[in-house]
Amino acid sequence: MKRDIILSGVGGQGILSIANVIGKAALNDGLSIKQAEVHGMSQRGGDVQSNLRISSKPIASDLIPRGATDVVISLEPMEALRYLPWLSPEGWVITNTTPFVNISNYPDMQAVNNELNSLPRVVTIDVDAIAKQAGSARAANMVLLGAAAPFLGIEAEKLEQGIRDIFGRKGDEVVNMNLAAFRAGQEYAKKIAAK
C-alpha cells in the first residue's frame, strides 16, 4: 500500500488537523508515514500545505515529486488548482467549493469551477454547508476528510479512531461533532462515486 497525499488550504481552516487524523490512523494501521508541512501566513489566511506519504514499506523522502500525488485534498478551491502539477494522471482531487477570498485579484469562481470540473477524477463538495447540517460549521475540515476517505486506502473505522485519538482530549462532545461531520462527508462521497 502506498499513498501520496497533498493537503492544502488557508491558515485556520484545519488542514493540519486532517493531516494529524490521517497520520494517526496510518500509524494505528501499522503503516509508515512521512509528513512535510508548509505554514504560510496562517494568522493572515496564507497558504497552508502538507505532504503526507503513507506506505506499507519504508519511505525515503517526505516530499512528493511532481506528477506523483494520489490525492489532493483542499479546503479552498483555488488552492486545489495550485497543486495540480503534483497530481498523478490517475489521481483524485477532493475540494471544498466555497472560496476563501483573501486577495483582491482572486480568480473568477466560474473559471475556477470550470477548471476543477474538467478534471477526470474530482469530488467537489460544499463542506461548509454540510458541516452546518451535521451540527457544527467548525467541523468543515472533517467533512472534507470524510469525502476523501474512500480514496485514502485506510479503512474508515481507522480514520474514525484517529478522530477519537486527536480530539479526545477536548471531550466527547467535540469528538462526536467531528465524527458526525466525517460521516456526512463520507456519505456525500459515496453518492458521487455511485454516479
Side-chain angles (χ1 to χ4, degrees), residues 94-115:
I94 319 301
T95 186
N96 185 13
T97 57
T98 305
F100 186 94
V101 181
N102 58 351
I103 55 175
S104 59
N105 61 343
Y106 193 96
D108 174 64
M109 269 313 294
Q110 185 63 45
V112 171
N113 287 331
N114 288 345
E115 178 99 17

Side-chain angles (χ1 to χ4, degrees), residues 126-187:
D126 186 344
V127 296
D128 301 308
I130 293 173
K132 287 175 189 169
Q133 291 170 0
S136 175
R138 292 178 54 209
N141 60 338
M142 291 300 112
V143 171
L144 189 65
L145 175 59
F151 311 98
L152 298 179
I154 299 172
E155 294 175 18
E157 295 78 23
K158 302 269 177 147
L159 292 166
E160 288 191 6
Q161 186 57 50
I163 291 170
R164 289 183 190 93
D165 292 346
I166 297 299
F167 294 104
R169 64 178 167 44
K170 295 185 177 185
D172 289 343
E173 185 177 337
V174 172
V175 169
N176 291 332
M177 171 190 68
N178 282 290
L179 286 171
F182 173 82
R183 291 170 184 152
Q186 203 176 13
E187 286 303 311

Side-chain angles (χ1 to χ4, degrees), residues 30-42:
L31 299 169
S32 296
I33 182 170
K34 291 237 180 188
Q35 181 177 357
E37 298 171 358
V38 175
H39 303 263
M41 303 266 294
S42 60

Side-chain angles (χ1 to χ4, degrees), residues 58-134:
I59 303 166
S61 172
D62 53 0
L63 296 178
I64 301 169
R66 283 180 178 250
T69 300
D70 299 299
V71 186
V72 172
I73 303 171
S74 184
L75 273 160
E76 208 291 324
M78 186 179 71
E79 291 298 324
L81 296 177
R82 180 191 304 258
Y83 295 101
L84 289 183
W86 280 264
L87 191 65
S88 78
E90 300 80 31
W92 280 86
V93 173
I94 319 301
T95 186
N96 185 13
T97 57
T98 305
F100 186 94
V101 181
N102 58 351
I103 55 175
S104 59
N105 61 343
Y106 193 96
D108 174 64
M109 269 313 294
Q110 185 63 45
V112 171
N113 287 331
N114 288 345
E115 178 99 17
L116 288 169
N117 292 329
S118 73
L119 299 173
R121 284 167 289 288
V122 64
V123 175
T124 57
I125 176 173
D126 186 344
V127 296
D128 301 308
I130 293 173
K132 287 175 189 169
Q133 291 170 0

Side-chain angles (χ1 to χ4, degrees), residues 16-40:
L16 300 181
S17 293
I18 294 173
N20 288 336
V21 169
I22 295 171
K24 187 69 170 168
L27 289 174
N28 288 344
D29 206 18
L31 299 169
S32 296
I33 182 170
K34 291 237 180 188
Q35 181 177 357
E37 298 171 358
V38 175
H39 303 263

